[in-house]
């Protein structure tokens, strides 16, 4: 069982990023000495509207996770992590027909065994960094999300897919198995037996099937523009944005960390998170708005 003092220290360290005092408005793309072409960072609407969009932009390789794309994703996450103007992050593709095709096997084939091990560890850490972003994250899956592409989507809090999207941890068809979090996050998402079946067979499933087994939160028919999943993800993000940012972030910490421990320790984590929310101005604003019969105006403080 996690001791109360340890739980408090854990929550303080994990939630520090979610409290006010970030970097303010973020740039349209990460500063990287002229790079940034494979990952674009956009603010949605006027002043961002509280929504940031990470767009993978590697059309010649179907957004496969090569070295440059991975490093630029790291840079982008560094920009977002401490920015308290961002309330929701949408992860999507800037390439038609694909979310992310997984590992760049052409690059991987040129690596030694030790280089491969190091790079896969970088991928694993990247997925952990996505999962650790303090604000909610939504993956918008329009086309193929295979191997590492699905692992990236699993690292997000929520997933929306077009019904025609194709998803799968296909590594066993290439002599591999999921190594960037798939063996851990997929069972936690859909259950152990189903996760084993999908990983053992390397099977691909569409958006409707993914919804039926709980892999995605929503499955939507594709539209003529090919951005139905993005439009649904955007609507979901806009539903989250007006909510109290610190309360949402503390809820995320409580859920994520509580799922990793026994329920008594999870209750201790919830208590610590709640204690951090009590002195916020947003909590008082929520109470005042209720008493005054008006909509609250949360500022993230």
């Amino acid at each position: 069982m996690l001791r109360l003092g340890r739980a408090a220290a854990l929550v303080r360290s994990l939630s520090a990023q979610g409290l006010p005092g970030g970097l303010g408005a973020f740039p349209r793309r990460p500063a990287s000495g002229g790079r940034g072409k494979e990952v674009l960072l956009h603010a949605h609407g006027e002043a961002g509207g509280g929504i940031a969009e990470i767009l993978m932009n590697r059309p010649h390789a179907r957004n496969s996770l090569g070295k440059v794309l991975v490093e630029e994703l790291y840079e982008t996450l560094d920009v977002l992590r401490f920015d308290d103007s961002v309330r929701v992050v949408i992860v999507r593709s800037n390439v038609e027909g694909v979310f992310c095709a997984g590992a760049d096997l052409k690059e991987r084939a040129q690596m030694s065994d030790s280089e491969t091990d190091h790079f896969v560890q970088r991928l694993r850490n990247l997925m952990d960094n996505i999962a650790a972003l303090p604000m909610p994250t939504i993956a918008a899956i329009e086309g193929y999300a295979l191997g590492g592409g699905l692992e990236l989507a699993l690292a997000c809090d929520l997933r929306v897919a077009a019904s025609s999207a194709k998803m799968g941890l296909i590594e066993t068809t290439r002599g591999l198995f999921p190594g960037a979090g798939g063996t851990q996050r997929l069972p936690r998402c859909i259950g152990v037996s189903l996760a084993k079946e999908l990983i053992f067979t390397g099977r691909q499933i569409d958006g409707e099937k993914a919804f039926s087994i709980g892999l995605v939160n929503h499955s939507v028919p594709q539209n003529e523009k090919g951005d139905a999943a993005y439009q649904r993800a955007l609507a979901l993000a806009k539903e989250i944005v007006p909510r109290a940012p610190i309360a949402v972030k503390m809820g995320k910490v409580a859920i994520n960390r509580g799922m990793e421990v026994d329920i008594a320790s999870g209750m201790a984590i919830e208590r610590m998170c709640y204690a951090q929310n009590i002195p916020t101005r947003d909590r008082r604003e929520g109470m005042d708005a209720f008493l005054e019969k008006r909509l609250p105006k949360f500022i993230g403080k």
Side-chain angles (χ1 to χ4, degrees), residues 46 51 94 103 105 107 141 151 154 157 225-226 246 251 254 266 269:
E46 185 177 353
I51 301 170
N94 202 42
L105 295 182
E107 254 189 27
I141 306 168
E151 288 177 308
L154 283 165
D157 297 306
K225 290 183 64 177
I246 298 174
I269 290 172

Side-chain angles (χ1 to χ4, degrees), residues 101-263:
D104 187 331
L105 295 182
K106 291 182 179 179
E107 254 189 27
R108 192 76 61 84
Q110 305 302 315
M111 297 180 186
S112 66
D113 289 352
S114 62
E115 289 171 334
T116 297
D117 182 60
H118 175 75
F119 185 69
V120 173
Q121 182 59 43
R122 287 286 287 167
L123 283 178
R124 196 174 296 118
N125 290 341
L126 174 67
M127 305 312 173
D128 288 343
N129 285 356
I130 293 171
L133 279 175
M135 67 288 290
T137 53
I138 308 171
I141 306 168
E142 306 291 356
Y144 288 93
L146 304 176
L150 181 54
E151 288 177 308
L152 192 157
L154 283 165
C156 296
D157 297 306
L158 308 173
R159 285 160 295 283
V160 178
S163 57
S164 57
K166 297 294 184 181
M167 288 160 273
L169 294 179
I170 62 170
E171 285 87 347
T172 56
T173 70
R174 300 292 187 267
L176 304 166
F177 75 93
T183 64
Q184 302 306 304
R185 290 194 172 94
L186 187 63
R188 286 167 167 80
C189 182
I190 65 172
V192 172
S193 294
L194 272 175
K196 286 180 176 178
E197 181 175 340
L198 291 181
I199 291 172
F200 294 169
T201 63
R203 184 185 305 148
Q204 296 181 35
I205 60 175
D206 63 20
E208 290 185 359
K209 179 64 175 178
F211 175 72
S212 73
I213 64 175
L215 177 55
V216 300
N217 297 76
H218 303 275
S219 174
V220 292
Q222 189 56 280
N223 59 27
E224 291 185 2
K225 290 183 64 177
D227 68 348
Y230 166 65
Q231 293 299 332
R232 184 65 185 89
L234 185 59
L236 186 55
K238 289 180 177 179
E239 191 176 350
I240 297 171
V241 164
R243 310 309 172 213
I246 298 174
V248 170
K249 291 173 183 179
M250 290 296 97
K252 176 172 175 173
V253 172
I255 293 169
N256 285 353
R257 297 309 173 186
M259 288 297 294
E260 298 174 358
V261 299
D262 61 274
I263 191 166

Side-chain angles (χ1 to χ4, degrees), residues 16-28 41-43 47-48 50-52 76-89 133-136 245 249 299-300:
Q17 298 172 356
L19 296 178
L23 300 177
F26 51 87
R28 288 302 179 106
L41 178 58
H42 289 172
I51 301 170
T76 303
L77 296 176
D78 285 341
V79 171
L80 292 171
R81 184 171 292 110
F82 300 105
D83 192 334
D84 60 2
S85 71
V86 178
R87 299 191 180 187
V88 184
V89 173
L133 279 175
M135 67 288 290
K249 291 173 183 179
I299 59 174

